[in-house]
Amino acid sequence: MTVTAPVDPLASPDLGRPGPAPIRLIRSEFLKLRTTNGWWLFLLGALLMLVLAILFNWLQADFAFSEGIPQDIPEDDADTFEASRSPIFQAANLYTSGQFFGLMFVMLVGIVIVTSEFQHQTATTTFLTTPHRTAVILAKLCVAALFGATLWLVSLAINVPATIGILSIYDQSSLLGEWPAQRAILLNLLAYALWGVLGVGLGVLIRSQIAATVTATVLYLIGTTAVTILVTLLQDWLGWEWIDEVQYAVPSVASTLMVSGTSLPGQPPYWVGAVILVGWAVVTGTIGTMITRRRDVS
Amino acid sequence: MSDGEIVVSHLAKQYRAVRAVDDLSFAVEPGRVTGFLGPNGAGKTTTLRMLLNLVTPSAGTATIGGQRYADLTDPLRRVGAVLEASSAHRARTGRNHLRAIGAAAGFPARRADQVLELVGLTPAARRKFKGYSMGMRQRLGIAAAMLGDPGVLILDEPANGLDPEGIRWMRDLLKRLADEGRTVLVSSHLLSEMQLLADDVLIIAKGKLVTHGSVSDVVDGRAHAGPVRVRTPQAEQLTAALGSAATVTTGEDGALLVSGVDAPAVGAAALRAGVELHELVAEKPDLERVFLDLTAGKADIR
């Protein structure tokens, strides 16, 4: 039997050489996210909604690819319907299935990454470890965006085989070689990443975890529909065509627009959606960082 | 200037109508445990938070080793702080809490296990924080502060929630850290504990400095104020023997409290008058009495 001498824990420890600060911070934030159970609940929720979304989009595709246009619809709607019948439109729609709820869950993770620091009073320790608060927020933005990218990758891994399968039922090729489909998939990645940024920004603005998640979810789910309905009503009453464009300023509507395979009549081009969403992310990210820099932590 | 010296200079913090800290200046030396005392609302926590760049001062500066906290390159290797007992995610294990901090500071993962060993939390390392007792939470806070083996330790009410054994453990640890030449600044309400632990005391009230010095200086500086307690069956004879220099009052428990003369004079007078004494004690003021004297009337809610 060997007896080891008791190690004095205070005897100057070997702390190693610190790596580059950004890498350290991102690792730390990633570890924080990974060591709580919030993230897999969100992932599970997103996957469940993804399956439902694929089924819903399949129904849409089935309707679009079935023979003939219904006779009793107005000419404007007939144009839209005709455009939505293009295989590339349906392919892009299917390849980006689950975006609506996926983006919401990414936003919620972004919110939780920030608000849990205040909820559990760990902000003090975080800012003691890294007094440069901008760097902390940037690391949180990165981790939220990375979570978004991961969710995008997971949904892509399910969407690709599902879409190829569904398209083949209607004797359509996968269309994966077509640029509009590739573009939709890639811009979808951008959307997933940017919604993480939006979530972090929101979390800084509303520090209470409950208030932030509830507000964001309600705004996302009801706000999106409410704006669409409001725009349609206003357009009908006032007859202003331009008012239709207003709804694309809403981040969730802009996200749908940027992953469309072909433009429907009366719809702005896809890149307008991308520009609007980047704008929102930059604004919320910047405001969030500036507030965090100034605010007292107590 | 020493590497671990804390210098606070004309520090002030204004919160709307309240001046929480008001033109506060002091210096805390390495190698000693300094107790930071004051009534509730005196500005202790605000001062510590300004020192650590968590709260922006309205005026003045606070430096550690000549640098503002925000300007330290590797803050955790210089300064360890324990500010809130409950500062960890409820669902995270103690070990993961320390690893997340260590990762941001660039320490190896094994360092988390070392500090857990140091504070005696190794058996609870993989338990979630919500299952920790108050004393375990304090120990985890100290473990976090020790991650970077810092030369300066700043602790806000670290003894809260510790049992007597835990308090003793903390006292021994902090004394040992100070003996190694580190700066130890501890705020506390437990005055009797401070008298055992601290080398120096720093007392503030209403955001202003009241006194600062070694415990013995601060306490002895007011020793003359202490009365002499005498117990005798012949109270009247003794009072007469003491003469007009002494003021004698009768305490609640029947003992006489003599002020104006010291204990040897009381003993001599008793001997001359043939008065029988059962007890003769010079009541030395303790830190608690000095503290209450110094901060009398300043502990109001602001």
Side-chain angles (χ1 to χ4, degrees):
Chain A
M1 204 173 100
T2 53
V3 179
T4 49
V7 180
D8 180 1
L10 281 180
S12 51
D14 174 21
L15 294 176
R17 290 166 62 85
I23 306 286
R24 276 158 31 192
L25 279 172
I26 290 171
R27 271 195 57 213
S28 173
E29 290 300 331
F30 181 70
L31 197 61
K32 285 183 196 171
L33 181 64
R34 196 171 61 77
T35 52
T36 53
N37 42 20
W39 68 271
W40 63 262
L41 287 172
F42 289 126
L43 190 66
L44 214 63
L47 286 181
L48 190 73
M49 297 315 287
L50 172 64
V51 173
L52 294 177
I54 291 174
L55 293 175
F56 180 77
N57 289 342
W58 185 359
L59 267 177
Q60 276 197 318
D62 186 66
F63 189 52
F65 290 139
S66 58
E67 292 299 314
I69 303 176
Q71 294 300 313
D72 53 346
I73 56 172
E75 203 174 319
D76 275 6
D77 290 353
D79 286 351
T80 308
F81 186 75
E82 191 54 45
S84 75
R85 288 184 60 164
S86 82
I88 195 69
F89 181 87
Q90 291 300 332
N93 194 34
L94 279 162
Y95 282 126
T96 57
S97 288
Q99 191 211 44
F100 185 73
F101 283 98
L103 296 184
M104 185 182 80
F105 285 112
V106 173
M107 169 184 72
L108 290 177
V109 165
I111 288 174
V112 166
I113 285 176
V114 178
T115 54
S116 76
E117 296 265 10
F118 297 103
Q119 176 92 353
H120 302 280
Q121 295 188 317
T122 50
T124 297
T125 311
T126 300
F127 292 137
L128 283 177
T129 310
T130 315
H132 304 285
R133 300 187 188 173
T134 309
V136 174
I137 294 295
L138 286 177
K140 287 188 186 294
L141 292 175
C142 282
V143 170
L146 281 173
F147 178 84
T150 310
L151 192 54
W152 169 81
L153 199 65
V154 171
S155 64
L156 190 66
I158 297 170
N159 279 337
V160 166
T163 305
I164 293 174
I166 290 167
L167 289 176
S168 71
I169 295 175
Y170 304 97
D171 294 325
Q172 304 285 347
S173 66
S174 80
L175 296 173
L176 264 181
E178 300 288 322
W179 170 237
Q182 294 167 353
R183 185 188 71 201
I185 289 171
L186 289 175
L187 283 175
N188 200 26
L189 167 62
L190 182 66
Y192 271 85
L194 290 179
W195 275 85
V197 174
L198 284 174
V200 169
L202 269 171
V204 175
L205 290 174
I206 312 176
R207 266 185 295 181
S208 154
Q209 186 145 18
I210 290 289
T213 46
V214 169
T215 309
T217 310
V218 168
L219 275 181
Y220 189 83
L221 295 180
I222 298 177
T224 308
T225 327
V227 168
T228 316
I229 292 172
L230 196 69
V231 160
T232 315
L233 285 177
L234 284 176
Q235 207 182 357
D236 282 356
W237 286 346
L238 305 169
W240 296 343
E241 283 294 318
W242 60 266
I243 217 162
D244 192 41
E245 312 285 318
V246 171
Q247 62 179 313
Y248 295 104
V250 177
S252 50
V253 181
S255 307
T256 316
L257 173 64
M258 76 193 254
V259 296
S260 58
T262 52
S263 292
L264 298 178
Q267 190 179 305
Y270 71 93
W271 57 264
V272 173
V275 169
I276 287 169
L277 198 60
V278 169
W280 275 103
V282 167
V283 168
T284 48
T286 310
I287 291 177
T289 308
M290 278 165 58
I291 289 178
T292 309
R293 279 172 65 104
R294 283 152 190 260
R295 194 156 53 191
D296 286 349
V297 183
S298 51
Chain B
M1 178 170 292
S2 145
D3 199 37
E5 194 182 21
I6 297 171
V7 177
V8 164
S9 175
H10 303 292
L11 201 61
K13 180 68 182 181
Q14 183 81 37
Y15 285 118
R16 295 182 197 275
V18 178
R19 198 147 182 93
V21 176
D22 191 2
D23 195 31
L24 185 62
S25 299
F26 60 79
V28 176
E29 298 295 326
R32 302 175 73 82
V33 176
T34 303
F36 190 27
L37 312 176
N40 281 337
K44 300 188 297 289
T45 300
T46 306
T47 302
L48 296 182
R49 286 189 169 265
M50 286 194 282
L51 181 58
L52 295 166
N53 188 47
L54 295 168
V55 167
T56 315
S58 305
T61 55
T63 58
I64 296 167
Q67 281 180 296
R68 292 186 319 138
Y69 190 86
D71 298 332
L72 296 175
T73 14
D74 284 313
L76 286 202
R77 290 168 195 248
R78 301 282 302 281
V79 183
V82 186
L83 293 186
E84 287 138 358
S86 58
S87 60
H89 193 291
R90 284 173 54 76
R92 200 173 282 142
T93 66
R95 183 168 180 270
N96 280 335
H97 172 68
L98 295 173
R99 283 182 60 206
I101 300 170
F107 304 147
R110 65 170 186 279
R111 184 60 190 154
D113 300 314
Q114 289 171 357
V115 288
L116 282 166
E117 184 78 42
L118 168 70
V119 301
L121 270 184
T122 305
R126 288 162 202 273
R127 210 180 300 164
K128 287 185 177 176
F129 184 72
K130 61 183 165 200
Y132 279 22
S133 68
M134 193 66 189
M136 290 160 81
R137 293 177 180 201
Q138 290 286 20
R139 284 173 189 253
L140 185 66
I142 292 171
M146 291 305 295
L147 271 171
D149 190 35
V152 177
L153 277 141
I154 295 170
L155 305 97
D156 197 7
E157 304 282 352
N160 271 3
L162 286 181
D163 56 12
E165 192 245 318
I167 289 181
R168 197 207 167 99
W169 166 81
M170 162 105 54
R171 185 195 310 148
D172 292 346
L173 176 69
L174 295 184
K175 276 175 177 284
R176 189 169 147 205
L177 293 171
D179 286 345
E180 290 175 354
R182 302 180 211 239
T183 311
V184 181
L185 179 61
V186 195
S187 86
S188 181
H189 281 116
L190 304 175
L191 297 165
S192 50
E193 171 56 27
M194 265 310 159
Q195 189 151 24
L196 290 172
L197 168 66
D199 301 303
D200 293 340
V201 283
L202 181 62
I203 301 179
I204 67 168
K206 286 191 169 178
K208 291 184 178 186
L209 186 67
V210 174
T211 190
H212 184 194
S214 70
V215 173
S216 52
D217 283 353
V218 167
V219 172
D220 294 346
R222 303 178 63 83
H224 62 276
V228 180
R229 188 158 45 116
V230 192
R231 211 179 279 275
T232 171
Q234 298 153 279
E236 283 170 25
Q237 287 95 316
L238 181 64
T239 308
L242 284 169
S244 58
T247 318
V248 182
T249 53
T250 310
E252 280 171 21
D253 56 352
L256 302 177
L257 291 172
V258 183
S259 46
V261 290
D262 60 4
V266 175
L271 182 63
R272 281 197 306 275
V275 171
E276 179 184 344
L277 293 186
H278 295 170
E279 190 180 337
L280 175 62
V281 182
E283 283 207 337
K284 270 196 95 166
D286 56 5
L287 188 57
E288 180 172 277
R289 162 145 296 164
V290 172
F291 175 84
L292 292 173
D293 283 353
L294 288 172
T295 61
K298 293 177 180 172
D300 54 331
I301 307 295
R302 296 194 290 159

